[in-house]
Amino acid sequence: MTPAAYVHLDLEAVRHNLAQAKRYAPNNKIMAVIKANGYGHGITRVAKALEQADGLAVARVDEGVRLRKAGFTQPITVLQGFVCIDELQLMLQHQLDAVIHTPQQISLLQQQTAPETALSIWLKMDTGMNRLGFKGADFNAAYQQLLNCALVKQPINLITHFANADDLLDDKTRKQIDLFNDAVQGYPGQRSIANSAGIIGWPNVVSDWVRPGLMLYGCSPFAGKTGADFGLRPAMSLHSRLIAVKNVAAGETVGYSGTWQCQTDTRLGVISIGYGDGYHRHTKAGAPVLVNGQRVPLIGRVSMDMITVDLNSQPGAQPGDPVTLWGDGLPVEEIARHADTIPYTLLCGITQRVQIVEQ
Ligand SMILES: Cc1ncc(COP(=O)(O)O)c(C=O)c1O
């Protein structure tokens, strides 16, 4: 029996997308970004599919520890680094690499004067994202302090993050690249700059490591495009089924707050999927849904467990018929547009009750 609502994961697609990232960045090592539960695909599942990557990256220490406990041995970078001594100890114990972005982290490192082991670090430069990292002279000062830290494995690696790389017309990215390259000139460590948009859209960035996230799951980081435009294959599709079909007379409203009023007599389908599964509540009426492989429009509000669609183009549809919310023939990027969001949110937002079916 198929589950009521399920995600189909194509791990072969993840492997394909990693190979495609390598084609875009043939001279770089790949640090595969699998934070937020592997962008909703399951962190250990995607880590396994990405065993050909040169390293992995997560946001938080607990994500890195989970990967080590699951037996993954490749370099794992924690993009937020540690925030207290306990986290630093955990990183040392599990040999996790830390991004260093605050003076407080440097103080914690300096307190370890006779360490038994050393910590690999990435010193982060804030080149305009204004989120994590040191700017200008502070970056150089931090570098000098870290050179003298017994706990820090040398050489110090160097990292920054793009803010607007998905906008190819915005010269901020070029400025970020120049700022970073000028600052790290002559420093011996490895460099890492580009995310998915940087890898695809800014191919001439010189660095040692790239950090693809979204593209590994088959999605486009650029608005108005889909992963297929860049040779990527979607790894996740979301499915459910019709659970009721009925007639609603013209003039009647459908769903909470009566936001949808039927303009004609309507054959209405009810589908077992809702925001309690991760189907975004802000998905607007008119968003396409595949019923029996054919597009029909969403009508009314998204509820916790159900959505409603107009089946006038499919009078023969019956309870039990298969539904795809995104997947083959219906890119998640398109659904994200109808929900005024980005594909990242939809992929990460799949909830626990949705069953995962692997290929
Ligand atoms: C520091 C850093 N590097 C790389 C990535 C991967 O970005 P993307 O998923 O856009 O490829 C992220 C994701 O947010 C990030 O925070």
Side-chain angles (χ1 to χ4, degrees), residues 137-217:
D138 291 342
F139 178 79
N140 293 316
Y143 185 86
Q144 294 306 324
Q145 286 178 300
L146 291 164
L147 276 181
N148 296 316
C149 264
L151 186 58
V152 170
K153 200 179 273 178
Q154 304 293 332
I156 297 161
N157 302 307
L158 307 147
I159 189 168
T160 193
H161 189 45
F162 288 143
N164 297 10
D166 56 334
D167 183 351
L168 297 177
L169 301 176
D170 189 340
D171 70 346
K172 180 171 183 132
T173 303
R174 177 49 50 201
K175 288 187 183 139
Q176 285 193 266
I177 297 166
D178 292 345
L179 206 58
F180 182 71
N181 285 341
D182 283 352
V184 303
Q185 210 173 19
Y187 289 172
Q190 303 268 298
R191 280 107 165 111
S192 175
I193 311 185
N195 55 359
S196 297
I199 294 166
I200 297 172
W202 303 83
N204 297 323
V205 180
V206 178
S207 78
D208 302 291
W209 289 78
V210 288
R211 303 189 307 275
L214 189 69
M215 68 184 297
L216 297 175
Y217 309 98

Side-chain angles (χ1 to χ4, degrees), residues 29-160:
K29 282 179 266 186
I30 307 263
M31 188 188 290
V33 181
I34 59 170
K35 59 199 170 89
N37 199 26
Y39 287 47
H41 296 65
I43 191 165
T44 50
R45 194 180 284 120
V46 294
K48 214 160 159 218
L50 291 166
E51 62 195 359
Q52 296 299 317
D54 304 284
L56 302 170
V58 292
R60 302 187 183 143
V61 176
D62 56 355
E63 294 175 308
V65 170
R66 184 165 164 210
L67 288 170
R68 284 285 183 252
K69 286 189 172 163
F72 294 96
T73 55
Q74 54 271 73
I76 299 174
T77 299
V78 177
L79 295 168
Q80 295 179 2
F82 51 88
V83 79
C84 60
I85 190 73
D86 291 346
E87 281 192 348
L88 172 54
Q89 297 295 1
L90 269 178
M91 294 197 72
L92 287 165
Q93 183 190 337
H94 293 282
Q95 287 294 295
L96 302 170
D97 303 348
V99 169
I100 301 300
H101 54 85
T102 64
Q104 291 77 11
Q105 289 175 313
I106 297 180
S107 301
L108 286 171
L109 291 169
Q110 286 170 331
Q111 285 162 25
Q112 316 297 310
T113 47
E116 286 166 12
T117 174
L119 183 76
S120 273
I121 64 162
W122 291 91
L123 177 60
K124 183 149 191 175
M125 182 172 186
D126 182 352
T127 48
M129 177 75 159
N130 284 311
R131 203 173 57 179
L132 298 184
F134 295 94
K135 282 192 167 172
D138 291 342
F139 178 79
N140 293 316
Y143 185 86
Q144 294 306 324
Q145 286 178 300
L146 291 164
L147 276 181
N148 296 316
C149 264
L151 186 58
V152 170
K153 200 179 273 178
Q154 304 293 332
I156 297 161
N157 302 307
L158 307 147
I159 189 168
T160 193

